[in-house]
Amino acid sequence: FQDQIEQSETKDKHILNKIQNMGKLTLIHHPLCPYAARAHLALLYKGIDFEEQIVDVKNKSEEFLKLNPLGKVSVLLLEDGTSIYESLPVLELLDTLPQYAHTPKLYPTDPVEKAQAEMKIARLGGLINSLCSYVSKSAEAGLKDLDKKINTFEELIGEKPYLGGESPNVVDFAVIPW
């Protein structure tokens, strides 16, 4: 068992050294994590060239935990080796780095619209969490309030082609993976 741990740590150090010498973004994630999918989808949408590293979320290495002390995915490693973690800060960073100014925007530029988008993410996230909790409840208890939640969800989505409005934005990337 100790040999496996040492091999994993050696592999992680090699990966980290390789990443830091690449000179481009690296997304460290797990493909089944909806939070990590936010960053992955946003990078693809913006057309940003990046490398991917998949993390074994059940066996996180010390090297990974140095990049994100919370031990969560996703982590975005910048060209200089700086790690940014938590999906929404990653999305905001992708929108504000000057080298990606030419890519499609995720956040509205108007401060009020940006705040409204963030509020919508919070409300939709809360609704999604409560809808997911119905899976573990009895059918009767789960269905009792489900109609109300779905109506609220539909109100928040509205009649626009995308969750965030007329074009994809941060609301879409925050909610779609769920």
Side-chain angles (χ1 to χ4, degrees):
F1 183 71
Q2 184 64 31
D3 289 341
Q4 291 175 335
I5 292 172
E6 289 172 7
Q7 288 174 351
S8 176
E9 288 175 355
T10 301
K11 182 180 174 186
D12 288 340
K13 287 177 185 175
H14 174 72
I15 289 170
L16 183 58
N17 289 335
K18 181 181 170 189
I19 288 169
Q20 290 176 335
N21 294 323
M22 277 193 249
K24 66 174 152 180
L25 297 178
T26 301
L27 180 65
I28 303 171
H29 69 106
H30 190 278
L32 298 179
C33 175
Y35 295 105
R38 290 172 167 178
H40 191 253
L41 291 171
L43 284 160
L44 293 172
Y45 173 70
K46 290 176 83 59
I48 297 172
D49 189 30
F50 68 99
E51 295 290 324
E52 291 182 71
Q53 294 293 325
I54 307 300
V55 169
D56 179 354
V57 293
K58 292 184 179 182
N59 298 304
K60 298 172 191 150
S61 69
E62 288 300 316
E63 290 298 318
F64 175 74
L65 293 172
K66 287 178 186 174
L67 297 173
N68 182 352
L70 299 175
K72 300 177 183 179
V73 290
S74 59
V75 173
L76 184 68
L77 269 181
L78 304 182
E79 293 91 342
D80 66 358
T82 302
S83 66
I84 305 297
Y85 49 88
E86 294 296 315
S87 59
L88 293 177
V90 166
L91 297 186
E92 187 164 5
L93 181 70
L94 292 175
D95 242 15
T96 56
L97 288 173
Q99 63 266 42
Y100 306 120
H102 65 284
T103 64
K105 290 291 179 200
L106 300 173
Y107 281 85
T109 54
D110 177 75
V112 172
E113 290 177 8
K114 180 181 177 192
Q116 289 171 332
E118 290 171 350
M119 291 184 315
K120 195 177 219 181
I121 291 168
R123 288 202 58 206
L124 287 168
L127 284 170
I128 289 168
N129 286 337
S130 65
L131 289 172
C132 290
S133 73
Y134 288 118
V135 173
S136 63
K137 294 181 180 179
S138 71
E140 185 179 330
L143 293 174
K144 191 173 186 178
D145 197 38
L146 186 58
D147 191 48
K148 181 179 176 186
K149 299 283 186 193
I150 290 173
N151 286 337
T152 303
F153 196 79
E154 287 174 346
E155 286 174 24
L156 286 169
I157 291 172
E159 305 256 342
K160 306 279 183 179
Y162 296 94
L163 296 174
E166 295 299 327
S167 61
N169 77 14
V170 67
V171 178
D172 300 280
F173 294 102
V175 175
I176 294 285
W178 293 98

